[in-house]
């Protein structure tokens, strides 16, 4: 078997999106072709306006065992969430 | 005559798209890699969309109430106006790509000119199609460069495809009386100008692909005036089968 | 279904008390509907069963392009041609998403492809039947996609995150597939006598193979229990098949078509349809490779793979050259 095309992770920012979201992966020989392939594979329904690709091998992911220490501190900062604050109705939309 | 010329011209645009889409769509499910299968289907889908726009307009120009489907499914080979290039067999994937590349280059610069056509409808269709075709050329040009400058085998296959298909490409940029009459009115793309744009682009791209265009190859033409190769009859036999076997049925 | 007979561990399902602490924690997460992600601990059996199931599913999408692709060049109108091409293209896309989901478990797409071509991996039996007339394109969309959607909707709840997410995307994209098939059937039954006959003939040929898509009866399905405990197959074969029949019979009635089953009748007490016996010999025979088109389907995939090798290698070689030129320039 010959060498397999590397795997790329694809991130797309949609028409009204503020940030790029992971949409899936694909194979391509290099980054430029990965971008082209991503356009053909993942924007068949006009989903995106901007595409990022990253080689899957280059991504470092947090390991599940770290889930506690990485995310629990944020869970305790409930004041970061807008629903933490009671705003009287008379004040209007905030 | 002027009205007939316009009808012919618009048919040429539509028939090129239709016959090429028909050829390209055969790869669906059979391409060398999934990503390419999907990309090629996108190209074919764009071309079918463009076919519908051009042939609908052709039907209106003719004024006999024929729809885009009537024109696609109920004309015989002699009434088709596509160039010989697009009816050439798929061959190996390299030939399919080379055929696409040679067509895309002409198509891209032609649509660029047609965006300023004195005919409002033509300008409108060209405006929409040009965006799609710019991407087709990006993609086919990129693949031709990569495969030309890939392995020895991919290089040889692309060079063989170029040698084989090059003579057919000339038809696209060779004007005839229909082109000339409509160019004078500012309706058609000026093929002299398109030819120089295509040549400059080809020279640059083929050099990067380490491929060389055949020298002094005689131009093979006829399709634009309805003188096709024997292949077209089979393309139509397949495409028109249901409409011919069940006349008048709706689907 | 698209994965009809997925071999699991072949062992009885363990109770929580029989598991070691790691496996027990894993099972408890599944029981609590927490998704398993690629880097999480998972029992080897879970990983292997999933790779088999997802790759079978992916292979089915890819081989599934062929019977419908057979009619793209002959679609009767430009609009039908575009719709059919878009649909078959979606199948390639779905195959791609699924291979990627399997790749998160450590399988490579090329390896999975080699396994398919070597006859070591299965794909759905349904795609070994020929598409003979245009009505088959209607029947495939209506019945085969209908059955596929029935299966995939429940798989959105699958315990493995990447598979579940692929299913969500696929279900969203596939919503038009069944409708386009039914739309073709509606046009045919309102058409000429010949078109109506074509529609009935297609239903006659595709009905039973569609019911077989859900796989063997639960009683014979040795691998279901473990897969259900792991929530990689949330609903049983027989239940899905029953739902499909209940959903499809009224649709056939609306078309004025006859379902080719003399035993089909409404069971008031159950509130569901009773239906006739499925010929499981035919099913196993097709799975073994003796269906009407098994050889042709595999030959087509083998040809695409072999003929495409120079293309894949050429592009890889160019990417490497470009990379080394860039490094030399730096």
């Amino acid at each position: 078997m010959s060498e397999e095309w590397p795997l790329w992770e694809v991130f797309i920012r949609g028409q009204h999106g503020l940030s790029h979201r992971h949409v899936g992966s694909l194979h391509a020989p290099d980054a430029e072709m990965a971008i082209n392939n991503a356009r053909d594979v993942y924007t068949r329904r006009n989903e995106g306006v901007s595409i990022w690709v990253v080689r899957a091998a280059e991504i470092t992911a947090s390991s599940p065992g770290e889930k506690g220490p990485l995310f629990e501190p944020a869970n305790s900062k409930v004041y970061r969430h807008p629903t933490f604050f009671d705003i009287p109705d008379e004040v209007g939309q905030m | 005559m002027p009205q007939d010329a316009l009808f012919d011209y618009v048919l040429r645009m539509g028939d090129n798209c239709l016959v090429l889409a028909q050829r390209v769509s055969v790869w669906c499910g059979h391409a060398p890699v999934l990503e390419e299968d999907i990309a090629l289907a996108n190209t074919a889908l764009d071309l079918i969309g463009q076919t519908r726009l051009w042939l609908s307009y052709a039907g209106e120009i003719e004024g006999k109430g024929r729809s885009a489907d009537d024109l696609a499914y109920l004309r015989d080979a002699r009434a088709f106006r596509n160039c010989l290039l697009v009816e050439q067999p798929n061959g190996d994937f390299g030939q399919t790509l080379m055929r696409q590349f040679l067509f895309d280059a002409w198509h891209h610069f032609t649509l660029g000119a047609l965006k300023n056509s004195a005919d409002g409808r033509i300008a409108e269709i060209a405006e929409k199609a040009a965006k799609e075709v710019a991407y087709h050329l990006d993609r086919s040009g990129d693949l031709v460069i990569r495969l030309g400058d890939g392995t020895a085998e991919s290089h040889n296959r692309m060079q063989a495809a170029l040698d084989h298909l090059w003579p057919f490409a000339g038809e696209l940029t060779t004007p005839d009386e229909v082109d000339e009459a409509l160019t004078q009115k500012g309706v058609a793309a000026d093929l002299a100008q398109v030819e120089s744009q295509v040549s400059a682009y080809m020279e640059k791209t083929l050099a990067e692909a380490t491929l060389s265009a055949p020298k002094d190859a005689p131009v093979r033409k006829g399709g634009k005036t309805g003188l096709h190769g024997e292949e077209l009859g089979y393309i139509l036999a397949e495409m028109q089968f249901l409409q011919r076997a069940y006349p008048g049925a709706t689907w | 279904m698209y994965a009809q007979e997925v071999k699991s561990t072949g062992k009885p399902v363990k109770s929580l008390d029989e598991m070691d602490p790691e496996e027990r924690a894993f099972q408890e997460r599944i029981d609590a509907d927490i998704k398993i992600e690629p880097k999480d601990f998972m029992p080897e059996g879970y990983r292997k069963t999933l790779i088999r199931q997802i790759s079978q599913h992916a292979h089915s999408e890819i081989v599934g392009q062929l019977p419908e692709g057979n009619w793209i060049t002959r679609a009767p109108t430009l609009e039908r041609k575009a719709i059919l091409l878009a649909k078959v293209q979606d199948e390639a896309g779905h195959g791609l998403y699924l291979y990627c989901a399997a790749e998160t478990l450590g399988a490579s797409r090329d390896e999975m492809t080699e396994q398919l071509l070597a006859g070591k991996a299965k794909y759905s039996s349904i795609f070994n039947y020929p598409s003979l007339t245009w009505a088959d394109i209607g029947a495939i969309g209506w019945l085969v996609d209908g059955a596929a959607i029935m299966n995939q909707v429940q798989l959105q709840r699958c315990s493995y995150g990447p598979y579940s997410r692929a299913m969500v995307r696929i279900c969203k994209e596939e919503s038009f597939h069944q409708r386009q098939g039914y739309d073709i059937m509606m046009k045919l039954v309102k058409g000429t006598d010949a078109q109506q006959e074509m529609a009935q003939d297609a239903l006659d040929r595709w009905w039973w193979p569609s019911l077989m898509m859900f796989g063997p009866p639960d009683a014979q399905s040795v691998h279901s229990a473990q897969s259900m405990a792991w929530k990689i197959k949330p609903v049983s074969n027989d239940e899905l098949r029953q739902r499909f029949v209940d959903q499809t019979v009224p649709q056939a009635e609306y078309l004025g078509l006859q379902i080719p089953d003399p035993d089909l009748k409404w069971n008031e007490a159950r509130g569901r349809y009773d239906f006739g016996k499925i010929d499981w010999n035919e099913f196993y025979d097709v799975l073994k490779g003796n269906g009407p088109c098994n050889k042709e389907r595999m030959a087509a995939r083998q040809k695409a793979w072999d003929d495409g090798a120079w293309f894949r290698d050429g592009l890889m070689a160019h990417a490497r050259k470009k990379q080394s030129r860039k490094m030399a320039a730096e």
Side-chain angles (χ1 to χ4, degrees):
Chain A
M1 204 192 315
S2 21
E3 190 183 343
E4 185 166 5
W5 290 0
L7 188 66
W8 301 79
E9 299 300 331
V10 180
F11 301 81
I12 287 181
R13 182 165 58 77
Q15 300 277 351
H16 307 289
L18 291 174
S19 55
H20 287 72
R21 276 189 54 212
H22 182 241
V23 293
S25 2
L26 49 74
H27 289 270
D30 64 17
E32 289 78 16
M33 274 200 73
I35 291 273
N36 278 351
N37 289 346
R39 177 197 179 278
D40 281 306
V41 173
Y42 286 106
T43 68
R44 301 202 299 287
R45 289 168 172 78
N46 298 318
E47 290 94 336
V49 291
S50 165
I51 303 174
W52 290 350
V53 293
V54 187
R55 262 184 92 138
E58 302 289 331
I59 290 184
T60 310
S62 64
S63 77
E66 291 165 358
K67 241 181 203 167
L70 272 183
F71 301 109
E72 266 157 29
N75 284 344
S76 66
K77 297 184 182 74
V78 284
Y79 47 81
R80 283 193 182 276
H81 298 275
T83 47
F84 177 75
F85 304 95
D86 271 335
I87 303 289
D89 289 346
E90 303 88 86
V91 179
Q93 186 76 26
M94 187 175 281
Chain B
M1 175 64 198
Q3 216 44 13
D4 276 1
L6 185 62
F7 177 59
D8 250 29
Y9 189 76
V10 175
L11 273 187
R12 288 175 184 184
M13 295 302 294
D15 288 345
N16 281 335
C17 295
L18 175 58
V19 174
L20 187 57
Q22 185 73 3
R23 281 293 198 207
V24 170
S25 65
V26 171
W27 282 102
C28 187
H30 304 271
V33 67
L34 268 179
E35 283 80 359
E36 197 56 39
D37 210 306
I38 294 167
L40 215 51
N42 276 341
T43 301
L45 282 169
D46 287 344
L47 291 172
I48 296 170
Q50 293 171 24
T51 302
R52 294 173 72 186
L53 296 173
W54 289 120
L55 293 189
S56 297
Y57 184 38
E60 287 170 38
I61 295 165
E62 188 193 36
K64 291 182 186 162
R66 290 204 280 181
S67 67
D69 279 338
D70 292 337
L71 288 169
Y73 286 91
L74 300 174
R75 276 179 302 154
D76 203 346
R78 296 276 287 120
F80 268 74
R81 292 289 178 267
N82 59 280
C83 63
L84 295 180
L85 177 69
V86 295
E87 66 190 58
Q88 295 312 304
N90 283 345
D92 68 0
F93 203 69
Q95 277 184 48
T96 290
L97 281 176
M98 188 56 77
R99 182 185 61 199
Q100 188 71 41
F101 168 67
L102 295 172
F103 179 75
D104 289 345
W106 169 82
H107 204 193
H108 173 71
F109 292 112
T110 298
L111 290 172
L114 289 182
K115 285 199 272 186
N116 301 314
S117 170
D119 183 303
R121 285 290 297 285
I122 289 181
E124 204 179 298
I125 297 172
E127 185 75 42
K128 182 184 180 299
K131 292 189 193 115
E132 297 169 347
V133 172
Y135 182 67
H136 297 176
L137 181 60
D138 253 13
R139 205 171 208 294
S140 61
D142 184 52
L143 286 174
V144 165
I145 290 170
R146 287 167 182 269
L147 292 166
D149 185 21
T151 57
E153 181 177 7
S154 72
H155 173 87
N156 292 342
R157 282 179 185 262
M158 296 315 282
Q159 184 62 54
L162 182 60
D163 292 345
H164 175 63
L165 292 168
W166 185 259
F168 296 103
E171 180 178 14
L172 286 163
T173 47
T174 308
D176 67 0
E177 49 191 14
V178 169
D179 293 303
E180 276 157 5
L182 292 175
T183 302
Q184 275 174 9
K185 292 182 174 170
V187 170
D190 177 355
L191 285 182
Q193 194 196 329
V194 170
E195 204 273 331
S196 71
Q197 289 172 312
V198 170
S199 311
Y201 172 83
M202 281 294 161
E203 201 173 324
K204 181 176 143 291
T205 310
L206 292 178
E208 211 181 325
T210 70
L211 297 173
S212 38
K215 296 253 178 318
D216 307 321
V219 174
R220 297 187 60 178
K221 57 184 183 189
K224 279 166 79 163
T225 53
L227 289 168
H228 296 277
E230 290 177 344
E231 283 287 334
L232 185 68
Y234 291 95
I235 296 176
L236 300 185
E238 188 173 348
M239 183 174 79
Q240 299 178 341
F241 156 65
L242 281 169
Q243 292 286 356
R244 301 295 193 181
Y246 302 91
T250 47
W251 303 92
Chain C
M1 158 65 335
Y2 268 31
Q4 287 161 320
E5 243 218 331
V6 180
K7 281 208 184 85
S8 183
T9 57
K11 294 181 195 133
V13 181
K14 285 189 213 164
S15 73
L16 283 178
D17 292 336
E18 293 168 299
M19 295 176 185
D20 62 39
E22 224 174 11
E23 193 176 349
R24 185 185 169 122
F26 168 83
Q27 187 63 49
E28 281 169 349
R29 291 183 67 194
I30 288 185
D31 294 342
D33 284 329
I34 298 169
K35 295 271 183 253
I36 306 301
E37 294 298 332
K39 290 184 81 182
D40 290 337
F41 164 83
M42 61 186 82
E44 198 48 22
Y46 177 85
R47 198 180 67 84
K48 283 196 173 146
T49 308
L50 261 178
I51 291 179
R52 275 193 217 107
Q53 179 173 333
I54 301 173
S55 65
Q56 263 192 46
H57 197 158
H59 297 328
S60 297
E61 297 280 358
I62 301 309
V63 179
Q65 289 184 274
L66 300 173
E68 288 176 286
N70 182 34
W71 277 89
I72 292 171
T73 55
R74 290 177 290 169
T77 68
L78 293 171
E79 186 176 56
R80 290 281 183 212
K81 190 188 288 294
I83 294 170
L84 182 59
L85 179 56
K87 179 190 185 267
V88 181
Q89 181 199 39
D90 273 351
E91 272 144 29
H94 298 167
L96 187 150
Y97 305 160
L98 288 161
Y99 283 127
C100 289
E103 289 184 84
T104 62
L105 292 160
S108 96
R109 191 205 289 177
D110 282 3
E111 278 163 26
M112 290 185 272
T113 303
E114 299 269 346
Q115 279 177 347
L116 170 71
L117 297 177
K120 288 184 202 149
K122 294 196 177 83
Y123 58 92
S124 178
S125 56
I126 193 78
F127 301 118
N128 292 312
Y129 292 87
S131 62
L132 300 177
T133 71
W134 175 249
D136 289 23
I137 300 307
I140 292 174
W142 172 35
L143 302 174
V144 176
D145 285 274
I149 291 166
M150 180 84 39
N151 184 51
Q152 290 171 169
V153 162
Q154 49 113 27
L155 283 174
Q156 293 180 96
R157 292 187 284 117
C158 161
S159 63
Y160 187 57
Y163 191 26
S164 153
R165 288 191 287 275
M167 278 300 120
V168 171
R169 190 179 179 98
I170 289 173
C171 284
K172 209 159 71 183
E173 294 187 353
E174 253 179 22
S175 53
F176 91 86
H177 292 186
Q178 190 184 14
R179 283 161 170 263
Q180 67 86 33
Y182 198 70
D183 188 61
I184 289 174
M185 297 305 273
M186 287 203 296
K187 271 274 164 34
L188 293 176
V189 299
K190 285 186 203 145
T192 63
D193 290 353
Q195 285 176 302
Q196 289 170 21
E197 280 166 32
M198 201 187 272
Q200 181 63 53
D201 170 60
L203 173 58
D204 290 348
R205 282 180 292 110
W206 289 93
W207 174 254
W208 290 107
S210 297
L211 295 193
M212 293 175 201
M213 284 176 72
F214 298 94
D218 296 345
Q220 288 172 33
S221 186
V222 281
H223 305 288
S224 275
Q226 180 63 71
S227 291
M228 289 180 75
W230 279 333
K231 294 191 185 164
I232 57 185
K233 190 178 181 315
V235 183
S236 82
N237 293 354
D238 284 336
E239 173 57 24
L240 285 170
R241 186 165 19 244
Q242 180 71 55
R243 286 185 199 171
F244 175 74
V245 171
D246 292 342
Q247 172 189 287
T248 310
V249 173
Q251 295 168 352
E253 280 166 3
Y254 180 84
L255 292 172
L257 296 176
Q258 196 72 37
I259 289 183
D261 178 359
D263 298 325
L264 183 84
K265 59 172 184 296
W266 178 250
N267 182 325
E268 193 62 51
R270 288 204 307 136
R272 311 189 99 171
Y273 283 94
D274 291 337
F275 54 95
K277 263 196 153 59
I278 293 169
D279 180 1
W280 291 109
N281 289 334
E282 174 180 327
F283 171 74
Y284 287 113
D285 212 33
V286 174
L287 270 200
K288 255 188 277 165
N290 303 323
C293 297
N294 295 57
K295 303 268 182 305
E296 289 80 356
R297 299 296 183 236
M298 275 307 96
R301 290 312 307 161
Q302 185 75 54
K303 184 171 175 1
W305 182 245
D306 293 345
D307 291 356
W310 72 268
F311 173 86
R312 297 188 299 272
D313 292 345
L315 292 181
M316 200 64 227
H318 179 84
R320 263 189 250 110
K321 276 188 199 175
K322 216 156 87 175
Q323 180 70 20
S324 51
R325 277 176 209 150
K326 203 172 138 197
M327 277 164 60
E330 272 165 11

